[in-house]
Amino acid sequence: MAAAVLLVTPLMAAGCGGGDKPRARPTPVMPSTTPPQPVPLTPDVASKAFQTYITDEDVARAAADERLALTWTSDGQSLLTAAEFRKAAFDGDPVRRFSYGKPTLYVPKLKADAYPQWFVASVDRSVPGEKKSKETALMGFILRGPSDDWHLTLATLLAPKAELPKIQLDPDGYAEALSADDSKVLIRPRDVGGIQATMAAEGAASVAAKVMKTGPLTSGYYQQTKRAKKKAKDQDLTLTVVYTATPYPYFGLRTKSGGGLILYSLFRNNALVGPGTAGAKPEIPKEAEHLLDGTVEGDEIDTTATFQFAAYDPPRAKNGKPQPKAELVADDGAISKAATPPIKKP
């Protein structure tokens, strides 16, 4: 007992600090952060965002820096940008750089605190050193929140003989954004991609042909698929082709005619399958070589192409007048994914 008392007494003395009262520890103060305030979208804001993008894009392409280039893109444009950089590396070529003209910006009047914010640019674009490379690019930019940066989410190229529909602007220079269910146009903006995919699957005989023109990018895809399937069959292969909508943003702008210019994207999923016999494997398509390692593990090659389009969606005809059909005016895209899955075990 005496030993226990001798041990406890010094500890108690140390804990009491020689009789002084214990001092309260200071409460840590966390620095306060003010969330960024929404900035109203104006033509000037859009112009600065566009100029920033083309400057940053050129830096990334000049340095062949894929990761940096992907910093300024999103959605389908990210897939296509990554595929382009990998193809250049595979071929041993420099990544394309672009020279831009003066853009025409179509800026919808949106609420300052409504996100995403977006605008569309129409601009002449060419590849320095390449003759006859000048094309008109339609570029969709998006800002998903006040703390985010502007990203290029979609870029497509006006067809050589196509004319860009004239966009309706108000006295202040703002465009009118179409809602997903706009009833003044022939096809609801959210359904334009689905109509095109239907025509690609069914051809000119499709019911969808009643509202969209036939052509290389609609019923023409159906004919391409028929030829590709026949070629595969002749090689004892099976080809499956499916066009689907994407989860990516689409944009709609009112035209002076009362119709709409709709920018959107589609996927094309291909599955090329061998006969299943020993040693029989499909060859890797040339356009997908840069996305694979040169070997086919099983007897199947799957590819996904990302396509980006612009379509003119006419206004609904009135008073029994003839109804014009929707028409594709711009397209671009490439195979963006490829895989060679192993043979499924029974």
Side-chain angles (χ1 to χ4, degrees):
M1 290 290 291
V5 170
L6 291 173
L7 288 172
V8 170
T9 302
L11 294 174
M12 291 180 64
C16 295
D20 294 339
K21 293 182 179 180
R23 297 179 181 179
R25 294 182 179 179
T27 303
V29 179
M30 298 299 291
S32 59
T33 57
T34 304
Q37 295 299 308
V39 176
L41 176 58
T42 65
D44 185 55
V45 168
S47 178
K48 290 179 180 177
F50 177 84
Q51 294 299 328
T52 298
Y53 171 78
I54 64 173
T55 299
D56 292 337
E57 177 201 49
D58 191 57
V59 170
R61 287 176 177 270
D65 191 331
E66 179 184 334
R67 296 181 71 181
L68 182 60
L70 293 177
T71 302
W72 315 116
T73 62
S74 65
D75 307 305
Q77 194 60 34
S78 288
L79 294 176
L80 292 171
T81 299
E84 182 182 2
F85 270 72
R86 291 168 195 175
K87 187 173 189 335
F90 181 84
D91 294 339
D93 296 330
V95 182
R96 291 184 305 169
R97 297 171 67 180
F98 298 117
S99 176
Y100 292 90
K102 183 179 180 180
T104 299
L105 303 179
Y106 301 113
V107 183
K109 183 172 284 187
L110 306 173
K111 293 182 179 179
D113 59 350
Y115 289 92
Q117 303 273 320
W118 59 273
F119 68 91
V120 173
S122 172
V123 61
D124 287 338
R125 189 184 77 177
S126 58
V127 179
E130 290 189 14
K131 295 181 179 180
K132 298 182 180 180
S133 64
K134 184 177 177 180
E135 297 176 292
T136 298
L138 301 177
M139 306 167 69
F141 291 86
I142 193 166
L143 179 71
R144 286 187 161 89
S147 60
D148 198 7
D149 293 318
W150 284 95
H151 291 84
L152 177 66
T153 185
L154 182 155
T156 188
L157 299 172
L158 192 68
K161 295 182 180 180
E163 290 187 9
L164 186 67
K166 294 182 179 179
I167 304 301
Q168 180 66 49
L169 302 177
D170 70 11
D172 295 323
Y174 287 92
E176 178 185 347
L178 301 184
S179 68
D181 294 317
D182 192 286
S183 60
K184 295 180 181 179
V185 290
L186 179 61
I187 305 172
R188 292 184 300 183
R190 70 179 185 185
D191 294 335
V192 173
I195 292 293
Q196 184 188 3
T198 300
M199 290 192 68
E202 301 176 358
S206 172
V207 174
K210 293 183 178 180
V211 293
M212 183 173 282
K213 286 185 177 181
T214 58
L217 304 176
T218 53
S219 56
Y221 281 153
Y222 173 77
Q223 296 298 331
Q224 287 181 21
T225 299
K226 282 185 64 176
R227 292 191 294 268
K229 285 185 174 182
K230 184 179 183 305
K231 182 179 178 181
K233 186 176 181 181
D234 292 341
Q235 298 173 352
D236 205 17
L237 303 173
T238 301
L239 175 64
T240 303
V241 180
V242 179
Y243 288 84
T244 65
T246 73
Y248 306 139
Y250 58 91
F251 310 114
L253 296 165
R254 182 80 65 197
T255 65
K256 286 187 175 182
S257 65
L261 177 68
I262 317 297
L263 282 70
Y264 61 97
S265 55
L266 289 179
F267 287 141
R268 184 188 67 200
N269 299 302
N270 286 17
L272 187 63
V273 184
T277 56
K281 296 182 178 182
E283 293 184 7
I284 295 175
K286 191 172 183 60
E287 61 271 22
E289 289 178 334
H290 58 291
L291 300 173
L292 298 170
D293 61 4
T295 61
V296 179
E297 185 176 355
D299 66 343
E300 179 177 345
I301 299 175
D302 298 336
T303 61
T304 297
T306 302
F307 293 133
Q308 303 191 130
F309 302 97
Y312 171 63
D313 191 3
R316 288 186 173 274
K318 298 179 180 179
N319 303 323
K321 293 183 178 180
Q323 175 64 66
K325 297 181 180 182
E327 181 178 7
L328 273 292
V329 297
D331 76 288
D332 195 22
I335 292 179
S336 52
K337 291 183 180 180
T340 57
I343 296 177
K344 297 178 182 177
K345 296 182 180 180

